Amino acid sequence: MSSLAINPVIAELRERIAGLENGNARARKVLPFGAPGIDQGLPGGGLAFGALHEVAGGGSGTVDGAAAALFVAGIAARAEGKCLWCLTRPDLFFPALSQAGLHPDRVTFCESDREDDVLSAMEEGLSFGGLAMVVAELVRLPMTASRRLQLAAEKSGSMGIVLRRWRRQNEASDYGQPTASTTRWRISVLPSDPLPVAGVGRARWLAELIRVKAGECAEFEIGAPDAKGRVCLLPVPDHGSDQAIWRRSHTG
């Protein structure tokens, strides 16, 4: 038997670490999507508070980027409490965020010309502890910065979401780099629901869960958030349908 196996100091330290990890797991709250098919694939049945998450558009274009922003707004709308939204470009269309359930009186915006300042503002917001959610729009998220954000979220219990936005197409490749985020999502626009009359149906998205700690990757076809921030799972079309053809051509 090795000396490490019989060392009482090492054994005691391991017991303390295990106790701390179990205590954090019991205390961590989650925010369910309200769609069982999605929540069942997430540890605890929803997005974890006290954790960092990432969301990006499925492509480098503005359409998928707008869908990703609305996806985040729907999450913030369902979280009780105030939201801090940190950004470098003041181009959010707030009436659209309101349609996703996120009302102006719940959001404080923090604008800066530099991404480093956005990162600092997000860390300060997460450390504050009086916010339900802190969102930051960033092009890049280095591993060291993501670890700092994750630790700040763990200490305060707030949820942090980094909304990755690209200015140029080649920047989208950075989304494959490792970070400390608990989940990573990619949102792509699909053709909207057909209507029996002329008009545009509910927006339809492909939500890809491309990384999740202690869980499995998955993808879902969802309806955009309603006025209360709720999404819904939609039936996947047949492989021969127009929507399936569009999806394969845009996500392959």
Side-chain angles (χ1 to χ4, degrees), residues 90-134:
D91 57 356
L92 284 175
F93 186 58
F94 215 96
L97 301 188
S98 297
Q99 288 183 345
L102 186 58
H103 297 290
D105 59 353
R106 293 188 51 211
V107 184
T108 299
F109 288 102
C110 177
E111 182 184 345
S112 174
D113 295 332
R114 300 174 63 250
E115 285 215 343
D116 288 344
D117 293 337
V118 171
L119 274 170
S120 297
M122 184 179 192
E123 185 175 354
E124 288 292 331
L126 288 172
S127 301
F128 173 64
L131 299 167
M133 183 171 300
V134 181

Side-chain angles (χ1 to χ4, degrees), residues 26-62:
R26 287 193 299 270
R28 178 169 292 185
K29 299 190 302 180
V30 299
L31 179 65
F33 280 92
I38 301 177
D39 293 332
Q40 289 170 2
L42 295 169
L47 286 179
F49 285 95
L52 181 67
H53 307 273
E54 285 181 84
V55 180
S60 58
T62 57

Side-chain angles (χ1 to χ4, degrees), residues 61-245:
T62 57
V63 175
D64 287 342
L70 289 177
F71 181 77
V72 172
I75 295 171
R78 291 182 287 106
E80 296 182 0
K82 297 289 185 177
C83 172
L84 173 66
W85 198 300
C86 310
L87 69 168
T88 58
R89 290 177 285 176
D91 57 356
L92 284 175
F93 186 58
F94 215 96
L97 301 188
S98 297
Q99 288 183 345
L102 186 58
H103 297 290
D105 59 353
R106 293 188 51 211
V107 184
T108 299
F109 288 102
C110 177
E111 182 184 345
S112 174
D113 295 332
R114 300 174 63 250
E115 285 215 343
D116 288 344
D117 293 337
V118 171
L119 274 170
S120 297
M122 184 179 192
E123 185 175 354
E124 288 292 331
L126 288 172
S127 301
F128 173 64
L131 299 167
M133 183 171 300
V134 181
V135 180
E137 299 183 8
L138 297 168
V139 174
R140 293 181 175 86
L141 181 62
M143 172 60 83
T144 301
S146 69
R147 284 175 175 165
R148 291 177 62 91
L149 296 175
Q150 173 65 25
L151 288 173
E154 289 177 0
K155 291 179 180 179
S156 67
S158 299
M159 182 185 296
I161 298 182
V162 173
L163 177 59
R164 307 292 295 274
R165 297 189 63 187
W166 328 121
R167 296 183 178 89
R168 292 172 290 274
Q169 187 172 1
N170 62 344
E171 293 174 340
S173 61
D174 187 69
Y175 203 46
Q177 299 300 316
T179 66
S181 300
T182 300
T183 66
R184 178 180 282 179
W185 299 80
R186 188 163 54 199
I187 310 299
S188 305
V189 174
L190 296 174
S192 60
D193 280 343
L195 295 176
V197 296
V200 179
R202 183 174 184 176
R204 189 181 190 121
W205 300 336
L206 174 65
E208 299 172 88
L209 179 58
I210 59 178
R211 183 179 186 275
V212 54
K213 290 182 180 179
E216 296 183 359
C217 300
E219 62 178 49
F220 315 94
E221 292 198 7
I222 62 174
D226 60 15
K228 294 185 178 180
R230 299 171 300 193
V231 300
C232 66
L233 273 177
L234 299 174
V236 178
D238 296 333
H239 291 293
S241 70
D242 292 339
Q243 288 191 355
I245 295 172

